[in-house]
Each structure stands twice: as structure tokens, then as C-alpha cells.
Amino acid sequence: MTSSLLLRNGTVIDTDPVPTVLAGADVLVEDGRIAAVGPGLPAPADAEVVDATGRIVMPGFVDTHRHTWQAGIRAILTDATLPAYLERVLGELAPRYRPDDVYTGTLAGALECLDSGITTLVDWSHIQLSPGHTDASIEALRASGIRAVFGYCHGGDGDLEAETRRVHREYFGAPAGTLSMAMAALGPEIAREDRVLAEWRLARDLGLPVTVHMGGHGPESAARGLAFLAGNGLMEHPTTYVHANHYTDEALKRIAAAGGTVSVAPTIEAALDIGPPPTGRARNAGVPTGLGADTVASGPGDMFSIMRAAYLLERGRPNLSFGTADVLRTATIEGAEAAGLADVTGSLTPGKQADLLVLRTGTLGVAAAHDPIAAVVLSADTRNVDTVLVGGRVVKRGGELLERDVPSLLDSLSASAARLAGR
């Protein structure tokens, strides 16, 4: 990687404080960070200059909730509901996973993210059946080159506290580059009270944010779970509420006041009948709201599909005040807030990590678009993702992932998928 890279004369979209288009502008990257944005920037002597004329340059997408290990069971459970998912995927398939299946699935899932323009990922990893499964998950994320928050959800027969502390000590005790850790808590709507209290206590002691499935199991469960957190003084801890579908507007305001965030998986929440996605309601309540793919077992894995689902489900409610610029914020800077990385990524603010996308516009599906923001949200797809940078490092160029033997990985994924499905 050269120390400087200048993306010259692109249609630049920034996302903070609001999505804004700057035509004919440059983005300068130095030492992995965004150094400057504007027209006619001088090129440093050592800079690689990339002509972005006719292309869109923007922050990378942020996926705030994905079970990345499930890449090997893609489309295995469509036209189903949440109880069927719990029975089939978590009850039947997950116990079949070996550490090598976890590694292959997580690596393939993370590369799928990069290929489609997702540069930051919250990996909600509940396949931690043994220390070997955990080690495989982390090594795969590291090998992929993506910026990731590893959401550790303890499973198996070991000790929750001892194993969580081991993972933190061995992998995250010192700055770990593009990887960080979160407590992926089962939470009060799923687990016993003693486990919940242990999860939040560990998160506090280790300085980890919490990401938890709460609000998606019906109104009574949502109210009861939030009351438990409030009653035990846990709401003020940095927490992302995943599938906040059944919270009332007042409950969402309480989450906002406590500094919480929300992750919405609009395709999965609609497909599995979890409930109407709360994207607009959460944002109206003042909650930073990100988007996630959740599971490719039952839905798509690219942010373009997810953004369109979020937009259409809100507009069909109807929430006509929710527009394409709002969607783009949820897929970028608000997603970074939900991931706890708003000071690192999600916008083109100088000083942030250079997590960037260059999108082709010379395709039949995007050509002649009059509004670049709407084109990204409503018209583009993975074919338009030409170049991807993570921390200034080019991981995709000319539409191809770099430094990856993708065919061999796909062969391994296919073999893993066949074994897991019993074929």
C-alpha cells in the first residue's frame, strides 16, 4: 500500500451531518486515513492517483448485525418464520458446525461483505460451541481484512466468565487493528436473570459494548425485558438493541435517553414475521439506527437490497418523511454509531479511517441517474462496486477482490455446506 492515494474528480457523497453530493471532487488518503475532501486537491509526490471521473466515491457501508458464520447455509430456510429459524438453524444445523466450518463460513461471509461494499461489520457470533470455534471465528475475520466488531456470545459447556476473559485477553487486550470486541448478550428476553447480570457485569468490567436481541419477541416480552434492564441499572451501558420491533415510541425514547442504539434487519424482520421494522420510529425517537443483513439463511446479504427494503417498508407504512438520504445515513454514519465506531468510520470526515467505496455509474441500471444519493439507495447493486478500501488498504479493485483465492474458498464453502445439510 502506498502511503498516499488520491481519488480524483469523482461524484463524492458524504453522510455527516446529512448526505451531501459534491460533484467533481477529490478524496485524499494518507497513511490509511482521510486527509482531505474537495475539488482540485494537490497530489502528494508519492500518491497513487486514481481517476474517479463518472464514478461515485462515498463511505463504506456498515452492517450492524450479521451472523457471518451462516454463509454456508444460504437460502436454506426461506418462506419461514422465526420459530422455524430457531428450530432449523440454531437447533439442528448449528450443532453440526466444526471449527473449520466456522472459519470457512465466516471468511466467506466477511468477503461477501467487502465484495458488496460493506467495509464494517458487527459479527453477532453465536456459534461459540468451544474455544476452537471462537478462535476460528476471530482468525477468519482477521484474514478477511474487513473492519469488524466481534460480538462474542458464549455457548457450549465452558464457563462464561473464564472464556469471555480468555477471548478478550488473547485477542483484544491490546489494540487489534481493524478488529474490536463486543458482548453479544443473550439478554433478558432469552436467558435466565443470572446469565443476563453476568453478561452486563463482564461487559462493564472489560469495557465492551453490548449488542442484544431485544424487542423482537412481542410487546409483553419487549416491555418486560426493558424493565429488567432499567430495574438493574443496565440501560446506561452502551447497548445496541437488535430487532426493536415491538418497543413503543415511549420505550424507544427511553433507549435514546440512555444512549442506546438500534439495529434493524428489515429484510429478515419482514420475511420471518418478527414485526414491522422500527427504522423510522426509532429514528424519530432520537435513536441512532443502523441496518443489518442478519442471516443469509433467509434473506439477502448485500446492503443495496437491505437499503431498498428499509426504504420501501417505511414508505409503505406510510412514512413519507423517510427518504433516500435517511436510508443512506442508516447504512453509513448511523450504522457506525450503532457499532460504536462513529469516530472511526461512516463518513468522509478528515482524520477518520479511509473506509471507502468507488461505485461505477456506467451501467444500464445506474446510468443517467439525476440524484446520486437515490441512485445508490434505489438503483445500484453489487455489480457497481468497483473499488473498496478499508483503512486506506485497497481490498477490491476493478470489480475484483484482491489477494484472495476466491475459487478455492468457494470450493471449501460448498463442501462445508453439503456436510452441514447432510448431502
Side-chain angles (χ1 to χ4, degrees):
M1 182 181 76
T2 59
S3 59
S4 301
L5 184 148
L6 182 65
L7 298 168
R8 174 76 81 191
N9 196 40
T11 298
V12 175
I13 300 176
D14 200 359
T15 54
D16 192 28
V18 294
T20 304
V21 178
L22 185 61
D26 308 335
V27 177
L28 176 63
V29 176
E30 292 185 323
D31 297 322
R33 295 181 180 272
I34 299 168
V37 178
L41 297 178
D46 65 341
E48 175 188 358
V49 180
V50 176
D51 184 6
T53 302
R55 303 196 172 190
I56 292 172
V57 181
M58 60 173 288
F61 297 127
V62 179
D63 184 329
T64 59
H65 183 71
R66 181 185 293 243
H67 305 302
T68 316
W69 57 274
Q70 295 178 5
I73 52 174
R74 184 184 310 275
I76 202 168
L77 190 76
T78 57
D79 307 324
T81 60
L82 180 58
Y85 168 85
L86 297 174
E87 179 181 355
R88 175 71 169 139
V89 174
L90 299 186
E92 297 178 13
L93 297 174
R96 300 177 187 173
Y97 269 74
R98 304 173 304 201
D100 60 331
D101 297 310
V102 173
Y103 181 89
T104 300
T106 301
L107 179 58
L111 291 180
E112 175 190 0
C113 288
L114 290 174
D115 191 46
S116 65
I118 295 168
T119 54
T120 299
L121 164 69
V122 179
D123 179 21
W124 213 104
S125 192
H126 52 353
I127 192 64
Q128 311 314 317
L129 307 180
S130 73
H133 289 73
T134 301
D135 297 343
S137 299
I138 296 170
E139 291 301 332
L141 291 174
R142 180 176 291 164
S144 74
I146 200 167
R147 188 176 307 285
V149 178
F150 175 62
Y152 176 73
C153 182
H154 177 73
D157 299 325
D159 179 81
L160 166 66
E161 179 168 356
E163 182 60 9
T164 303
R165 289 187 181 277
R166 178 195 76 84
V167 173
H168 183 264
R169 180 179 63 254
E170 293 186 6
Y171 290 103
F172 302 99
T178 56
L179 297 186
S180 58
M181 183 178 178
M183 173 68 74
L186 291 182
E189 294 186 60
I190 297 174
R192 297 186 323 184
E193 291 184 2
D194 58 340
R195 161 118 186 190
V196 176
L197 294 172
E199 290 170 335
W200 258 261
R201 184 188 68 249
L202 270 170
R204 181 197 62 217
D205 290 350
L206 297 174
L208 304 177
V210 169
T211 174
V212 59
H213 294 87
M214 283 185 65
H217 300 278
E220 292 184 7
S221 178
R224 183 173 62 254
L226 201 63
F228 178 86
L229 294 188
N232 286 277
L234 305 179
M235 282 191 67
E236 285 66 32
H237 188 86
T239 300
T240 298
Y241 298 81
V242 181
H243 307 318
N245 308 67
H246 296 288
Y247 287 128
T248 63
D249 292 348
E250 183 59 35
L252 290 169
K253 290 177 183 178
R254 292 178 64 196
I255 289 171
T261 61
V262 160
S263 174
V264 180
T267 55
I268 294 303
E269 290 166 9
L272 296 185
D273 195 30
I274 294 173
T279 319
R281 292 196 307 113
R283 296 182 81 247
N284 289 342
V287 184
T289 302
L291 301 178
D294 197 341
T295 173
V296 296
S298 303
D302 67 284
M303 189 58 72
F304 299 103
S305 297
I306 297 163
M307 287 192 295
R308 280 195 269 281
Y311 177 78
L312 294 171
L313 288 165
E314 284 297 315
R315 300 287 292 187
R317 184 162 290 183
N319 177 10
L320 299 182
S321 65
F322 187 79
T324 52
D326 300 299
V327 178
L328 192 61
R329 274 188 59 85
T330 63
T332 53
I333 185 59
E334 288 190 39
E337 290 184 63
L341 296 173
D343 59 340
V344 174
T345 190
S347 72
L348 300 183
T349 304
K352 286 191 176 184
Q353 292 288 322
D355 297 347
L356 304 174
L357 305 185
V358 179
L359 303 179
R360 301 169 178 155
T361 60
T363 62
L364 291 173
V366 176
H370 294 265
D371 181 340
I373 293 171
V376 172
V377 173
L378 299 180
S379 304
D381 58 37
T382 57
R383 293 171 297 178
N384 298 99
V385 180
D386 179 85
T387 301
V388 178
L389 286 76
V390 177
R393 177 172 176 265
V394 178
V395 296
K396 183 177 182 179
R397 189 193 295 268
E400 299 292 334
L401 289 172
L402 304 181
E403 302 177 9
R404 291 292 162 206
D405 185 354
V406 175
S408 293
L409 175 61
L410 293 178
D411 287 343
S412 297
L413 186 66
S414 294
S416 173
R419 192 191 68 79
L420 292 168
R423 295 195 299 269

